[in-house]
């Protein structure tokens, strides 16, 4: 219902239909990232990243005149980190420390290098951005929320993400195979959200038991009202 309803029948799909975008109104753009993987059929990860970059450049060239953008990862099951930081790079004009990875081994956590958001070469959008997330948002989608939350013009909206930000440590147990969380992603101010999930700046229920079928549309419209109110106060 995104293209037909929220985007008034004028939505567009790109990158193997994993990115959907358009306008909520004349002032507010909308980008829904369905996953951070699967941007092409039977192509390399490098080709997928190139597809993401080309798609984001195309999209933001057409959303530059808007006053705000909603980036929706409320039903995103994750993917790979390279696509996360490719997208995030279009929302900053300078390098930003997103988080530091710490990996558990031999009874303690060992600090790896800082993970940075690097600005895209040709374009950036630094007006207000609202990232919509839920407890369905998981894995790389949570890393995206965590990284975007470090940008000064970004607000996280929704409810806590699922809480499985860690990379997967694979282990064999007899004939079975399982994965464990052995990593924590620590923000510059020392916080990490494994298990509890990344918290929002603005709490907004998206998928409720009372509104199973149209809760998402209602939530996006409520967020649009909040943004309009904020824009009117600025003006």
């Amino acid at each position: 219902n995104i293209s037909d309803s929220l985007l008034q029948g004028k939505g567009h799909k790109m990158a193997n239909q994993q990115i959907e975008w358009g306008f909520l109104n004349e002032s507010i753009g909308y980008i829904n990232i369905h996953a951070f993987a699967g941007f092409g059929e039977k192509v390399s990860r490098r080709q997928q990243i190139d597809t993401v970059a080309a798609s984001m450049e195309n999209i933001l060239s057409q959303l530059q005149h808007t006053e705000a953008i909603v980036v929706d990862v409320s039903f995103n099951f994750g993917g790979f980190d390279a696509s996360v930081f490719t997208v995030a790079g279009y929302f900053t004009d300078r390098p930003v420390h997103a988080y530091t990875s710490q990996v558990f081994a031999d009874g303690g956590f060992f600090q790896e290098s800082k993970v940075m958001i690097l600005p895209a070469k040709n374009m950036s959008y630094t007006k207000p951005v609202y990232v919509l997330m839920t407890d369905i948002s998981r894995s790389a989608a949570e890393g995206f929320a965590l990284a975007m939350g470090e940008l000064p013009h970004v607000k996280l909206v929704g409810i806590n993400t699922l809480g499985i930000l860690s990379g997967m440590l694979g282990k064999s147990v007899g004939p079975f195979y399982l994965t464990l969380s052995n990593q924590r992603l620590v923000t510059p101010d020392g916080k990490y959200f494994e298990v509890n999930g990344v918290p929002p700046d603005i709490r907004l229920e998206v998928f409720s038991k009372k509104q199973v079928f149209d809760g998402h549309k209602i939530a996006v419209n409520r967020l649009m009202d909040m943004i309009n109110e904020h824009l009117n106060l600025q003006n």
Side-chain angles (χ1 to χ4, degrees):
N1 292 323
I2 292 171
S3 287
D4 292 338
S5 180
L6 286 173
L7 304 179
Q8 302 116 47
K10 298 179 181 179
H12 308 275
K13 293 182 180 180
M14 305 184 74
N16 199 29
Q17 301 192 57
Q18 296 291 40
I19 302 177
E20 195 166 3
W21 71 278
F23 297 87
L24 295 175
N25 60 29
E26 292 182 358
S27 301
I28 305 173
Y30 177 86
I31 304 172
N32 192 307
I33 304 174
H34 299 309
F36 283 105
F39 299 108
E41 297 291 340
K42 298 180 179 179
V43 297
S44 68
R45 186 168 291 193
R46 177 69 262 173
Q47 289 172 302
Q48 291 192 55
I49 294 303
D50 290 344
T51 298
V52 172
S55 299
M56 288 301 299
E57 194 161 320
N58 185 324
I59 292 167
L60 288 180
S61 68
Q62 299 183 65
L63 297 183
Q64 277 294 321
H65 70 279
T66 60
E67 296 300 319
I69 290 178
V70 174
V71 181
D72 192 341
V73 293
S74 63
F75 208 81
N76 186 311
F77 281 29
F80 43 89
D81 292 341
S83 58
V84 164
F85 285 94
T86 299
V87 173
Y90 283 90
F91 295 100
T92 184
D93 55 6
R94 58 184 177 84
V96 173
H97 178 199
Y99 54 76
T100 299
S101 171
Q102 295 180 346
V103 177
F104 187 84
D106 298 325
F109 279 95
F110 294 85
Q111 187 157 302
E112 299 182 303
S113 59
K114 293 180 179 179
V115 180
M116 306 292 293
I117 307 173
L118 301 178
K121 293 181 180 179
N122 300 324
M123 186 175 302
S124 63
Y125 188 97
T126 56
K127 299 175 189 177
V129 174
Y130 299 81
V131 175
L132 186 63
M133 61 191 197
T134 67
D135 57 353
I136 296 174
S137 310
R138 65 190 64 183
S139 190
E142 300 180 84
F144 177 74
L146 190 69
M148 291 289 284
E150 294 302 319
L151 302 180
H153 57 289
V154 173
K155 294 292 185 183
L156 305 181
V157 184
I159 63 173
N160 286 45
T161 60
L162 186 60
I164 54 169
L165 293 86
S166 171
M168 296 183 291
L169 176 65
K171 293 289 183 181
S172 294
V173 181
F176 302 102
Y177 182 81
L178 55 83
T179 61
L180 303 171
S181 295
N182 72 318
Q183 178 190 37
R184 59 190 185 191
L185 309 183
V186 183
T187 62
D189 61 354
K191 298 177 183 177
Y192 56 92
F193 303 106
E194 195 71 18
V195 179
N196 293 324
V198 180
D201 300 307
I202 303 170
R203 189 163 185 84
L204 177 66
E205 189 173 39
V206 179
F207 300 112
S208 69
K209 293 179 180 179
K210 295 180 180 179
Q211 301 287 349
V212 175
F213 295 105
D214 54 2
H216 176 264
K217 180 174 68 175
I218 292 170
V220 173
N221 283 325
R222 285 177 178 167
L223 176 55
M224 184 166 55
D225 290 341
M226 293 180 198
I227 297 171
N228 282 329
E229 183 177 353
H230 177 71
L231 294 177
N232 289 335
L233 288 174
Q234 285 187 323
N235 296 331

